[in-house]
Amino acid sequence: MLTVAMCVALLGCLQAQELRGHVSVILLGATGDLARKYLWRGLFQLYLDEAGKDYSFSFHGAALTSTKQGQAFIAKVLESLSCPEDVAPDRCSELKGQFQRLSAYRHLATREDYMALSKDIEAQVQRGGLREAGRIFYFSVPPFAYADIARNINSSCRPGPGAWLRVVLEKPFGHDHLSAQQLATELGGFFREEEMYRVDHYLGKQAVAQILPFRDQNRKALDGLWSRHHVERVEIIMKETVDAEGRTSFYEEYGVIRDVLQNHLTEVLTLVAMELPHNISSSESVLQHKLRAFRALRGLQKGSAVLGQYQAYSEQVRREQQKPDSFHSLTPTFAGVLVHMDNLRWEGVPFILMSGKALDERVGYARILFRNQAYCVQNDEHWVADQSRCLPRQIVFYIGHGELGSPAVLVSRNLFRPSLPPESWKELGARPGLRLFGRPLSDFYAYSPVREQDAYSVLISHIFHGRKDSFVTTENLLASWGFWTPLLDGLAHEVPRLYPGGAENGHLLDFEFGGARLCFSQQQPEQLVPGPGPAPMPSGFQVLKARYRESPLISAWPEELIAKLADDIEATAVRAVRRFGAFHLALSGGSSPVPLFQQLATRHYGFPWAHTHLWLVDERCVPLWDPESNFQHLQTHLLQHIRVPYYNIHPMPVHLRQRLCAEEDQGAQTYASEISALVANSSFDLVLLGMGADGHTASLFPQSPSGLDGEQLVVLTESPSRPFQRMSLSLPLINRARKVAVLVMGRVKREITVLVSRVGHEPKKWPISGVLPTSGQLVWYMDYEAFLG
Ligand code: BG6
């Protein structure tokens, strides 16, 4: 009996194997713009590539339009299709006829419509004596329609067992990290991760798709070059001449960072920066390496970006969205962003991402510019492209348009002769007079695709072949939004620089970078968009010197205040090192010192870091790698940018024996002993403090039972806010310092500043009032908002 059953089953399997597979493609939004311009063409290309091979096809153009209108639309689009040059005319018209017969319009709105579609597909498969291989649903519809369609597919139009389902999704995939996560969760309720193909059409651009294969095929030559030791900078650029007219309702909500940088340019960045997997054909491995690259991205600050907006934009929004004359948009149409990666390969290498509408030319590229430390004695007339070490050395993945007019891979001849797959890339012929990046084309080994293909055709083929590495997974998507969202939040009220558009932009949008900051090269000529109030420029003010609680007070606008404090710290450090051979600096946590750390990291090349010991004023009882940890702040904003000997760094021992701030572990005592052993007389050269809105300083809070007096140098304390447990230097220890600087910034501190100016020595109520160095100096550093309100 069993044998008979097995035989029947086996026979069934054998038959199934022999049956030809059938693939149904359902294009949702088949009458829309994207479908008309690219998707039908891409599907036709798929048919041209696959016809007569292993699978049969049917193409269902679906939309909400009436059947009559839909049919007419599709008939027109199909009629306009043409074949690439390498397909003979007879063959082309035969295949085009077949494709037209296999394509049909259908109205798809309700659950019943989806059930009917599923039945029709099954019937067609049966009639044709076929086996269903899979269904591709291409969502070319606005995201608000996703959930309903997804529900209908999931409940009523999944293929039967043994056949795959692939759903293809188009951006926008959310607006920020939270909305992207919500959308992902919603879709995750209907589809499995491997069923979803999120399109970033830049991954289908031939030059972009060639980045990993190029790195792989030229491993030997690139191994020694692809790192911070040789790369001076990387530019990832997408310039456009078009503006946002006609799409302002979309654009107004997104702006250039969400529209282009968060997706297209970030994808290119990861392909350039990621570690190269051993096997680049393994989608899983590529995607994992990409994720790791995301993890190495250093968080962006407001100062990492410059924004612009073409002048006509606000007027276009007013017109298209019936806004009042007084409306001015803050949406950026241009952005330049400086990105850094914190890993051994790329530390210190600037990655510049830039895109804009209404610029002087349309061009896209990823350009890796190598350092050049050669000096050539002979006149440059004698320099030979493939020998001179003085010519620029660069590799460019030229995405398209621009002077060259086609995708290309360019490698400076003085680097190496690259290897590219000859069946798909050919050497470009000479183009006398053509210059790229300031050099004649002849300076490069230059390759272009044998057959130019548009991105959608490439991606549709990858969907059909299940090549997931050309698509954005949920994890990658969220990693990208996680990277961009803080910057977007920080820039939400930033007034973009206005630019006239096109060639008239001149040098208005040029920008420069240094350290972690990027700024326009030219001063703002004139404020054309009304900003939030006519704030005076910091440079209009002098640093003010006064007294506060009978000690010197320095007040200024934040930038100048930080600069002054950093200068004072450096001067103190230099003096201490000269006199005692070392400088012991104790630093507080919180957000106020962050710009100070950045200033010290990027502007103070003369700082005697090699002789500086860094101590913590206080710490939260969390592991040192926790983002809440003060040490982690110090690490992110200062330590990783400077060269301090490891043994000079003294984090507070809050995490011992796998537990946090347990009395029995005696972390506070250990820190105190370390201080006593290394700091002469336990007297720090400089202690940097802050002042909380409740009058706390270090982690000494009002009514603290310990740390305000007594013998203990280091104490465990409780904070009124999370994380509750803290470790802190005590007031007596702080007061032994040679110098104490208290940094107070921001309007939120105004009230406490006024209050503390009036109170006497009452550390129990206001711990800050107990800061009074016994024989050292106390200096207050307050910005105008904290001091004057
Ligand atoms: C799209 C953006 O993703 O890419 C558009 O939404 C942009 O604003 C377009 O114009 C650019 O793509 P391409 O292929 O023309 O470079």
Side-chain angles (χ1 to χ4, degrees), residues 102-320:
L102 294 172
S103 305
Y105 177 77
R106 67 190 295 150
H107 179 83
L108 213 49
T110 61
R111 182 161 172 237
E112 289 68 37
D113 294 338
Y114 281 84
M115 279 161 78
L117 170 64
S118 194
K119 286 229 162 65
D120 290 353
I121 293 174
E122 280 158 22
Q124 184 186 10
V125 167
Q126 273 225 316
R127 264 201 317 277
L130 302 163
R131 163 185 66 88
E132 181 160 20
R135 297 181 189 180
I136 297 174
F137 284 87
Y138 200 119
F139 284 49
S140 176
V141 295
F144 65 78
Y146 278 13
D148 274 347
I149 298 177
R151 189 172 301 109
N152 286 332
I153 295 173
N154 184 43
S155 67
S156 316
C157 213
R158 278 187 169 275
W164 44 253
L165 170 70
R166 291 180 191 151
V167 292
V168 188
L169 304 160
E170 278 285 342
K171 82 180 172 78
F173 307 120
H175 187 260
D176 54 14
H177 188 261
L178 181 66
S179 53
Q181 195 154 34
Q182 283 165 346
L183 183 63
T185 310
E186 190 166 32
L187 290 170
F190 302 118
F191 306 123
R192 290 197 304 276
E193 180 67 30
E194 66 269 24
E195 293 174 334
M196 286 187 276
Y197 287 67
R198 281 192 198 82
V199 169
D200 182 314
H201 79 283
Y202 263 59
L203 290 175
K205 301 252 176 193
Q206 285 170 294
V208 176
Q210 189 54 31
I211 297 177
L212 284 188
F214 174 88
R215 289 183 56 192
D216 186 45
Q217 277 160 38
N218 296 280
R219 263 179 207 264
K220 242 197 174 146
L222 291 175
D223 254 2
L225 282 175
W226 209 254
S227 75
R228 70 193 154 109
H229 301 297
H230 297 278
V231 174
E232 185 176 309
R233 61 155 99 165
V234 177
E235 300 168 351
I236 300 175
I237 306 297
M238 178 183 145
K239 289 171 71 178
E240 296 190 276
T241 48
V242 291
D243 63 21
E245 193 167 19
R247 318 166 64 200
T248 59
S249 61
F250 159 81
Y251 208 83
E252 199 31 23
E253 261 190 65
Y254 287 84
V256 65
I257 297 184
R258 293 184 172 90
D259 186 36
V260 169
L261 276 79
Q262 176 275 325
N263 38 69
H264 307 326
L265 301 196
T266 307
E267 287 298 325
V268 176
L269 165 74
T270 56
L271 292 175
V272 171
M274 70 195 252
E275 293 301 308
L276 198 56
H278 288 298
N279 175 8
I280 62 156
S281 328
S282 153
S283 291
E284 183 49 32
S285 173
V286 169
L287 290 167
Q288 284 309 321
H289 280 70
K290 209 187 237 188
L291 257 189
R292 261 177 247 157
F294 272 114
R295 280 188 219 118
L297 288 171
R298 186 185 305 165
L300 295 170
Q301 310 288 325
K302 236 171 130 175
S304 320
V306 286
L307 302 180
Q309 184 192 81
Y310 63 86
Q311 253 158 36
Y313 180 74
S314 277
E315 171 52 28
Q316 292 172 350
V317 179
R318 287 194 288 268
R319 193 164 5 97
E320 290 179 13

Side-chain angles (χ1 to χ4, degrees), residues 55 131 220 243 318 398 452 629 659 747 764 778:
Y55 295 93
R131 163 185 66 88
K220 242 197 174 146
D243 63 21
R318 287 194 288 268
Y398 200 87
E452 236 182 272
S629 148
R659 49 190 184 182
R747 199 176 292 251
K764 268 249 171 285
L778 167 64

Side-chain angles (χ1 to χ4, degrees), residues 499-638:
Y499 58 93
E504 273 181 64
N505 294 337
H507 294 290
L508 195 58
L509 297 176
D510 293 357
F511 53 82
E512 312 178 350
F513 51 91
R517 294 179 67 83
L518 185 102
C519 58
F520 283 120
S521 305
Q522 286 184 3
Q523 290 283 331
Q524 173 87 306
E526 167 179 16
Q527 179 91 345
L528 291 157
V529 176
M537 295 303 286
S539 50
F541 289 82
Q542 292 299 314
V543 171
L544 184 103
K545 292 198 174 139
R547 292 188 80 75
Y548 181 83
R549 291 181 63 79
E550 293 171 15
S551 292
L553 162 78
I554 292 174
S555 191
W557 287 99
E559 243 172 76
E560 261 133 32
L561 184 73
I562 293 294
K564 170 83 177 104
L565 176 55
D567 285 350
D568 289 353
I569 296 178
E570 177 171 341
T572 312
V574 170
R575 266 198 309 272
V577 172
R578 205 177 298 142
R579 286 182 61 194
F580 314 113
F583 173 55
H584 288 276
L585 172 63
L587 293 169
S588 289
S591 55
S592 296
V594 167
L596 173 71
F597 297 162
Q598 290 169 345
Q599 178 89 12
L600 287 171
T602 55
R603 303 282 157 91
H604 286 261
Y605 300 109
F607 204 103
W609 292 117
H611 303 282
T612 297
H613 282 257
L614 287 165
W615 301 86
L616 271 278
V617 163
D618 63 338
E619 185 55 283
R620 294 145 189 242
C621 294
V622 294
L624 293 188
W625 60 83
D626 189 295
E628 296 236 44
S629 148
N630 287 343
F631 182 74
Q632 184 57 238
H633 259 215
L634 193 64
Q635 156 74 9
T636 309
H637 300 289
L638 183 65

